[in-house]
Amino acid sequence: MGTRRKEGRIDNVKFTFSRFAQKLMVIHVSLLLVGCSHIVQDHQKIEEKPKKLEVRLESNPTQVHVNEKLIITSNITYGNEKISKGAEVMFEVIENGVSYGNLPVKPSNNGEYQLELKFMEPGQHQVISHVSYKNLHEMPYLNFQVTE
């Protein structure tokens, strides 16, 4: 039995490969391609910038009186994307230093998270929006001086 060889020509130069050399070349080229694809993937990972979670908290009205309806609105963006689903949003209400706990809220039809409330006593009050999304957490707050 003889060794199988494959012949070929490049620019009138004759060359011959044994079966072993053919397999070795295929393995070498395959490893080279696999290595290059990992370099491209790693480069793409480096270029991806982490997106920032931003929470804008607003109130209407801004001047608050006892027993007056107050609407707190939280708008959430992740990078350039407005978030209306998938975020965990809670509002913490603090009246004169006493926290009344966290109140979970769902997004409205326009994607905003809103809480409607009334302060029953005058004094210094605060509302904190606790927002969790994709392992990120933000806690913007608004302070109010509630008057009679």
Side-chain angles (χ1 to χ4, degrees), residues 71-74 89 91 104-108 110 112-116:
I71 297 174
I72 307 291
T73 304
S74 186
V89 180
F91 286 103
V105 292
K106 301 287 183 200
S108 62
N110 62 1
E112 295 177 331
Y113 295 81
Q114 292 186 330
L115 175 69
E116 187 176 306

Side-chain angles (χ1 to χ4, degrees), residues 84-102:
S84 60
K85 292 183 181 177
E88 181 182 352
V89 180
M90 291 187 262
F91 286 103
E92 180 179 6
V93 179
I94 301 171
E95 276 191 56
N96 293 318
V98 177
S99 174
Y100 288 94
N102 292 333

Side-chain angles (χ1 to χ4, degrees), residues 126-142:
Q126 186 177 56
V127 175
I128 303 172
S129 177
H130 296 269
V131 178
S132 296
Y133 184 73
K134 291 194 178 208
N135 296 324
L136 298 172
H137 188 78
E138 289 292 323
M139 295 174 35
Y141 62 89
L142 294 173

Side-chain angles (χ1 to χ4, degrees), residues 16-114:
T16 306
F17 290 108
S18 69
R19 191 85 155 143
F20 175 75
Q22 290 173 3
K23 289 180 182 178
L24 189 60
M25 186 180 291
V26 167
I27 291 171
H28 179 71
V29 169
S30 298
L31 290 174
L32 182 65
L33 290 174
V34 168
C36 288
S37 69
H38 285 297
I39 291 170
V40 170
Q41 288 174 354
D42 290 343
H43 184 67
Q44 288 172 344
K45 287 179 185 176
I46 290 171
E47 286 185 11
E48 286 181 22
K49 294 180 181 177
K51 295 179 181 178
K52 185 177 178 183
L53 179 65
E54 292 187 34
V55 181
R56 192 176 77 237
L57 195 59
E58 300 171 340
S59 70
N60 185 18
T62 55
Q63 299 292 320
V64 184
H65 300 285
V66 172
N67 290 325
E68 180 181 28
K69 181 173 84 169
L70 173 67
I71 297 174
I72 307 291
T73 304
S74 186
N75 291 294
I76 304 165
T77 56
Y78 180 67
N80 293 329
E81 176 187 356
K82 186 174 181 175
I83 304 301
S84 60
K85 292 183 181 177
E88 181 182 352
V89 180
M90 291 187 262
F91 286 103
E92 180 179 6
V93 179
I94 301 171
E95 276 191 56
N96 293 318
V98 177
S99 174
Y100 288 94
N102 292 333
L103 306 167
V105 292
K106 301 287 183 200
S108 62
N109 291 337
N110 62 1
E112 295 177 331
Y113 295 81
Q114 292 186 330

